[in-house]
Amino acid sequence: MKQAEAEAAIRSLCYIYAQEMGLKMTADEEPSFDHFYSWVCANYSAYLNFRATIGVREQVELWFDEEFKQMWRR
């Protein structure tokens, strides 16, 4: 899978995950990336098959932080 395809899917999954977990997509929330990543691995692992210069997990975490407005953690 190309990184751009994976990015679109992962960003979309952030919204699905938020709905399933009852989270708001605001900076006030502090969602668990580890839980999200485990959820993706268990349910949508095909979206984790791409190349990233910083590593797949790290790239997914960056997208997750952007979508959940958690960039202040970095």
Side-chain angles (χ1 to χ4, degrees):
M1 171 172 293
K2 294 188 186 246
Q3 185 173 350
E5 296 168 331
E7 179 179 2
I10 295 294
R11 288 182 184 276
S12 178
L13 287 175
C14 286
Y15 286 90
I16 294 168
Y17 175 79
Q19 288 177 341
E20 286 189 14
M21 299 300 148
L23 299 169
K24 298 175 193 149
M25 302 293 285
T26 66
D28 296 337
E29 293 282 350
E30 291 190 31
S32 168
F33 173 73
D34 289 334
H35 189 262
F36 172 76
Y37 195 79
S38 295
W39 178 81
V40 172
C41 287
N43 300 294
Y44 304 97
S45 61
Y47 295 125
L48 301 175
N49 293 323
F50 66 92
R51 290 184 176 190
T53 56
I54 62 172
V56 170
R57 185 181 173 95
E58 292 79 9
Q59 185 63 64
V60 171
E61 187 171 10
L62 176 64
W63 296 331
F64 175 87
D65 287 345
E66 289 175 349
E67 291 301 315
F68 280 98
K69 298 166 183 55
Q70 301 294 309
M71 293 301 288
W72 57 268
R73 291 183 180 188
R74 296 186 166 266

